[in-house]
Amino acid sequence: MLSYQHIYHAGNLADVHKHALLAVMLDYLTRKDKPLSYLETHAGRGLYALDAAEAVKTGEAAAGIGRAEALFPPDHPYRRALDRIRDAHGAAAYPGSPLVAALTLRPGDRMQLAELHPREFAALEATMAPYGALCRQEDGLGFALARTPPDPRRGLMLIDPSYEVKADYAALPPLVAKLHAKWNVGALTLWYPILKTGAHAPMLAALEAAGLPKALRHEVSFPPAREGHGMVGSGMFVVNAPFGTEDAARDIATRLARLS
């Protein structure tokens, strides 16, 4: 579990899918003049250098945001976050989901972030210090249960484990159900990989069988990032999906389909 470092995968097409939809959902939620909470279970380091040796080694960023950035117009919430981070940190900088969220939230909104890996957590704290985020070096799934319902109650949680711990697939459906029972107004957003092995399929079946309200399942497909890579798509399962999420997801899928 502590071997995973997202720098090898930052900016890949799964990140583009996840971060673009996250940015749109938060953009909608911040239009209402009421404070909100943003929580994230596996925050990573928050900011990535796509010219780092790890990112260059896998080539996932080059095949991902390197090709997809031009598909998003300057006024898209995701593109706005990208441009602001590059203006501040250079052309090779890429924002993880904590920074995508921070650049969308307003004064008075609250961020709570969990990351267990010691080095990633230290980097996360440094990156997020200017944004007033509360960072915790904790197991993400335990953090999710302990921090709900948040204050303010209105808000969104992103759950995006690495799935290197195979037990996550079985643990997540009951966790999402418990989180909804504790926080029935929260937009619970679960990212998952689409795998050649189909390991994600029983998890999705269990989530859909739970009958959670305003549930949206959205997936995009793409070729493996490199030979032998098992991920062939990206999925988002959203409970209490904000208004317009389905249309925004369809728009993102249409844009990414142009890469085929």
Side-chain angles (χ1 to χ4, degrees):
M1 179 165 54
L2 291 181
S3 66
Y4 181 84
Q5 295 183 63
H6 192 62
I7 182 59
Y8 290 94
H9 314 291
N12 65 11
L13 284 175
D15 262 5
V16 173
H17 175 225
K18 172 174 61 178
H19 294 155
L21 192 57
L22 175 67
V24 169
M25 289 191 290
L26 288 174
D27 181 71
Y28 173 78
L29 290 174
T30 55
R31 293 177 198 171
K32 195 169 187 177
D33 190 22
K34 289 187 177 181
L36 61 86
S37 293
Y38 175 78
L39 299 91
E40 186 168 340
T41 61
H42 299 75
R45 65 180 68 172
L47 177 65
Y48 300 91
L50 298 186
D51 57 357
E54 298 93 335
V56 173
K57 179 180 179 179
T58 63
E60 291 187 33
I65 190 60
R67 298 176 64 212
E69 179 178 353
L71 302 174
F72 293 89
D75 61 347
H76 192 281
Y78 175 52
R79 182 65 181 271
R80 292 201 303 264
L82 284 172
D83 289 346
R84 286 182 62 186
I85 288 302
R86 287 174 178 166
D87 286 346
H89 299 281
Y94 183 81
S97 39
L99 271 183
V100 171
L103 294 174
T104 309
L105 299 180
R106 311 149 301 177
D109 296 332
R110 190 180 183 202
M111 293 187 69
Q112 299 187 65
L113 310 170
E115 173 55 48
L116 190 57
H117 192 290
R119 287 195 301 274
E120 299 296 282
F121 177 74
L124 177 70
E125 276 200 308
T127 295
M128 302 308 297
Y131 302 97
L134 177 64
C135 301
R136 298 286 188 182
Q137 190 177 358
E138 296 179 10
D139 169 73
L141 303 188
F143 163 91
L145 284 172
R147 301 289 167 179
T148 50
D151 181 23
R153 284 183 63 91
R154 181 171 175 268
L156 182 149
M157 176 185 289
L158 176 62
I159 307 166
D160 60 340
S162 68
Y163 295 92
E164 291 202 340
V165 179
K166 302 308 179 189
D168 283 348
Y169 290 105
L172 284 164
L175 174 72
V176 171
K178 288 178 184 176
L179 291 172
H180 173 66
K182 294 183 68 179
W183 187 26
N184 62 358
V185 298
L188 305 174
T189 305
L190 173 68
W191 174 82
Y192 56 94
I194 307 296
L195 303 173
K196 289 180 180 178
T197 63
H200 59 287
M203 180 185 76
L204 268 294
L207 284 166
E208 292 185 328
L212 296 163
K214 295 169 64 178
L216 170 68
R217 174 181 174 179
H218 185 259
E219 298 177 352
V220 295
S221 299
F222 42 76
R226 57 190 179 278
E227 187 176 350
H229 197 232
M231 186 169 67
V232 292
S234 169
M236 295 280 268
F237 189 92
V238 187
V239 179
N240 287 328
F243 177 80
T245 301
E246 186 170 4
D247 289 341
R250 191 179 301 113
D251 173 72
I252 292 165
T254 299
R255 295 179 189 280
L256 295 182
R258 297 172 192 164
L259 299 177
S260 302

